Amino acid sequence: MSSVSDLIHKELQGQDIVVLPNGYRFALSEGHTDLTISPVQIEDDEWGLCEIISVRTVFKEGTYQLNPAQVAHLNGRSAFGSLYLNDGNLECKQSISIYKEEPASRWYALIILTSLGSQLPFVIGQIRSEASDESFRENRANLEFPRQWQTPPSPELFDVAAEHFQQMGLVSTSTSSGLVLEVPLTEESAPSRMMDSSSETALLHVSVDTPHPIAGVGYLSTIALPIDPADDVIVDVANKLNELEDEQLDFVPRLGSWCVRGMGNQLVYAMFWPTSTSDENMHSIMMNWMLHRTVWIRENFWESGKGVTIEGVNR
């Protein structure tokens, strides 16, 4: 048992919640959310991966009938995990790889426990909010996420983080409310599109000044790619990338999702973590997650001049 799962068990002990053989269940009339702790053992694993802890919501069959394009659109404002269709039925999942020597045990336990109670009602509110402006206002009020920071992040923290990434050889800039990073996707690319407009670089953002329409204030992180898939396959590419991420064992936390934004023609990774209390390391941690995810894209799917293709994700 990891220190994270130990904290989860202690927090939920004696609570009015369904206990499963390998986790816990939170249920509403529309569906249920399972927190599942799955032991993992990898030979010669230097980091000591020992568990995958997932939070997965399953809606009752027929509750929400969405198509893949609608799912990819909703994932553009995801929180607490990624939406997907399982045999046509809507589900939502996040997962975190847990290591034996986990320095952020309490923080991960907080994320997982918060998601156990919030994932299902958030998705319900998110979907219902699409119906009308009135429904949007009602669901935002019902969910009661904070709309203002109690302790906003200090702007100086972003300056320090930008300097750290610059020392790693990356182009990074800071603002009073966030951090920007560029990551070359090919060996031929310059470090920044400001140096060469034809360079294929991913643009990574972490910001705290963009409230979520439903989930209130918090940390938003995104990855924008320089070349987008063709319009007729972009939905399939986004949904397939989420599926492939979920198959990884040793990976950064899967709290957000690949999605379709803009006029339905932009492939973006988006992750939002709702909180009104800042952490002095959160922005750097999230940017590192985005950096590792971008390297995964570069090493496995990126094709110079083409980007991420449907053929590449279906290999």
Side-chain angles (χ1 to χ4, degrees), residues 23-255:
Y24 302 88
R25 172 169 293 178
F26 168 77
L28 294 175
S29 59
E30 292 90 341
H32 65 265
T33 301
D34 287 350
L35 189 167
T36 304
I37 302 170
S38 304
V40 175
Q41 186 172 2
I42 301 178
E43 293 184 8
D44 302 322
D45 175 30
E46 61 177 314
W47 299 106
L49 176 68
C50 62
E51 291 172 342
I52 303 291
I53 302 182
S54 63
V55 178
R56 173 172 169 253
T57 290
V58 178
F59 288 93
K60 291 182 178 178
E61 188 173 353
T63 301
Y64 297 113
Q65 297 181 344
L66 303 178
N67 60 45
Q70 290 171 315
V71 170
H73 165 72
L74 284 169
N75 273 334
R77 294 191 294 275
S78 65
F80 306 112
S82 174
L83 293 167
Y84 61 99
L85 297 175
N86 185 5
D87 290 332
N89 197 50
L90 184 66
E91 299 186 5
C92 182
K93 185 178 180 181
Q94 72 169 51
S95 58
I96 300 179
S97 302
I98 305 297
Y99 303 87
K100 292 178 181 178
E101 301 297 329
E102 185 56 72
S105 295
R106 292 191 177 276
W107 194 76
Y108 280 145
L110 175 62
I111 287 178
I112 292 162
L113 289 167
T114 301
S115 299
L116 174 61
S118 298
Q119 191 181 78
L120 176 54
F122 169 79
V123 175
I124 293 172
Q126 184 186 22
I127 294 174
R128 289 178 178 175
S129 295
E130 296 283 310
S132 66
D133 290 343
E134 181 180 358
S135 179
F136 163 73
R137 289 190 292 268
E138 289 177 354
N139 282 279
R140 182 171 69 175
N142 289 338
L143 289 170
E144 296 183 327
F145 286 103
R147 308 300 302 173
Q148 294 183 336
W149 285 95
Q150 291 182 351
T151 55
S154 169
E156 289 77 17
L157 293 173
F158 302 122
D159 298 333
V160 173
E163 184 177 351
H164 165 74
F165 287 109
Q166 289 166 9
Q167 291 172 355
M168 293 173 59
L170 297 166
V171 173
S172 180
T173 57
S174 60
T175 67
S176 61
S177 58
L179 188 63
V180 182
L181 191 67
E182 276 194 84
V183 181
L185 295 170
T186 67
E187 293 183 357
E188 299 79 18
S189 293
S192 171
R193 278 180 254 175
M194 293 184 293
M195 302 174 184
D196 181 352
S197 60
S198 65
S199 289
E200 296 179 12
T201 61
L203 194 60
L204 285 56
H205 280 88
V206 173
S207 61
V208 297
D209 63 344
T210 308
H212 190 284
I214 300 295
V217 295
Y219 289 84
L220 171 67
S221 58
T222 59
I223 302 171
L225 303 174
I227 303 173
D228 294 300
D231 290 355
D232 61 337
V233 297
I234 191 169
V235 166
D236 293 334
V237 170
N239 293 333
K240 183 63 176 181
L241 284 174
N242 290 327
E243 179 185 329
L244 292 170
E245 275 202 12
D246 187 56
E247 293 174 359
Q248 309 304 306
L249 293 179
D250 191 357
F251 205 67
V252 293
R254 286 140 287 197
L255 305 179

Side-chain angles (χ1 to χ4, degrees), residues 275-310:
T275 180
S276 61
T277 304
S278 65
D279 180 279
E280 64 179 9
N281 297 313
M282 176 70 77
H283 58 288
S284 292
I285 292 171
M286 290 180 71
M287 184 59 86
N288 272 308
W289 293 347
M290 297 303 107
L291 177 57
H292 281 279
R293 182 170 275 106
T294 303
V295 171
W296 176 70
I297 288 291
R298 181 178 68 193
E299 293 181 350
N300 293 280
F301 308 109
W302 193 261
E303 298 181 44
S304 180
K306 296 181 180 179
V308 181
T309 65
I310 189 64

Side-chain angles (χ1 to χ4, degrees), residues 16-29:
D16 184 18
I17 193 168
V18 178
V19 179
L20 304 174
N22 58 345
Y24 302 88
R25 172 169 293 178
F26 168 77
L28 294 175
S29 59

